[in-house]
Amino acid sequence: MEYLFETEYLKIRKFEIDDVPYLYKNHLEKEVKKWIPNESYADMEETKEAINFYIDCVNKKQLPYVLAVELKSTGELIGDTGVNEIEGNQKEVEIGYGICKKYSGKGYATELLMAMTKYIAETFKSNILYGRVMHGNYASIRVLEKNDYKFIKEELGAEDDPYGNGMLIYRKEC
């Protein structure tokens, strides 16, 4: 298995078809559905289609660029991370990350975001990265702030804000 980069506790790689049941299960978690509801998959077939799409994008080194996150000690798929362009500009990307509930609160998301920020800045020559978080997602806000992402504005009326409470936008220049 080819890993794109590693951290102290994590290995980050391309998705594989064998990941379908694990990604599907991870995205069924209550926390994922609450904070990133557009990231839940309807069924295993939709998850398989998504993974095939992610694999294709990573192979072509194009956005969206979504990767699997493994726990080094067990090889278990515990999350995913990725970036997508902002309004067609690869120099500015939005970064996302998720660690399944069983492993949250252990610093893995902070470690992942630090490494992914560096990897994406180098790989895509993106010098401005954004993180968008729903109001109330304090854990994700702390992860962004620990990685020197700075709050810049609140976005109201976003399509991916199902509760209508606004999104908090953070930015980091690399």
Side-chain angles (χ1 to χ4, degrees), residues 65-174:
Y65 196 84
V66 181
L67 302 171
V69 178
E70 277 185 16
L71 189 60
K72 263 186 189 180
S73 62
T74 64
E76 182 181 354
L77 181 72
I78 67 164
D80 53 273
T81 184
V83 294
N84 204 354
E85 63 189 29
I86 304 256
E87 299 176 15
N89 180 359
Q90 281 193 359
K91 298 295 182 205
E92 295 187 8
V93 296
E94 180 181 328
I95 195 163
Y97 47 88
I99 300 292
C100 63
K101 182 69 175 168
K102 178 179 174 182
Y103 295 101
S104 63
K106 300 180 185 330
Y108 297 144
T110 300
E111 182 178 303
L112 173 61
L113 182 60
M114 180 183 298
M116 184 66 166
T117 297
K118 182 178 181 210
Y119 177 79
I120 291 303
E122 292 170 359
T123 302
F124 287 97
K125 308 300 181 223
S126 298
N127 55 0
I128 300 175
L129 290 94
Y130 292 92
R132 297 173 69 244
V133 181
M134 278 191 221
H135 270 283
N137 190 346
Y138 301 113
S140 193
I141 290 168
R142 281 192 304 277
V143 167
L144 287 164
E145 289 175 346
K146 285 180 187 177
N147 278 284
D148 298 321
Y149 281 73
K150 304 295 182 207
F151 175 77
I152 58 167
K153 68 179 180 177
E154 183 175 359
E155 179 183 15
L156 298 172
E159 286 179 21
D160 57 347
D161 177 12
Y163 311 116
N165 295 329
M167 302 289 284
L168 304 175
I169 312 301
Y170 286 77
R171 175 183 163 140
K172 180 170 183 159
E173 291 189 43
C174 301

Side-chain angles (χ1 to χ4, degrees), residues 2-6 11-16 19 23 26-27 41 50-51 54-55 57-59 61-62 64-70 77-83 95-99 112 115-117 119-120 123-124:
E2 177 188 346
Y3 293 95
L4 299 172
F5 61 96
E6 296 183 20
K11 291 183 175 184
I12 292 70
R13 62 172 171 78
K14 286 192 300 189
F15 274 102
E16 299 175 341
D19 293 324
L23 181 64
N26 288 353
H27 280 246
Y41 302 104
I51 283 180
Y54 300 153
I55 291 168
C57 288
V58 171
N59 286 342
K61 200 175 163 186
Q62 71 183 32
Y65 196 84
V66 181
L67 302 171
V69 178
E70 277 185 16
L77 181 72
I78 67 164
D80 53 273
T81 184
V83 294
I95 195 163
Y97 47 88
I99 300 292
L112 173 61
M116 184 66 166
T117 297
Y119 177 79
I120 291 303
T123 302
F124 287 97

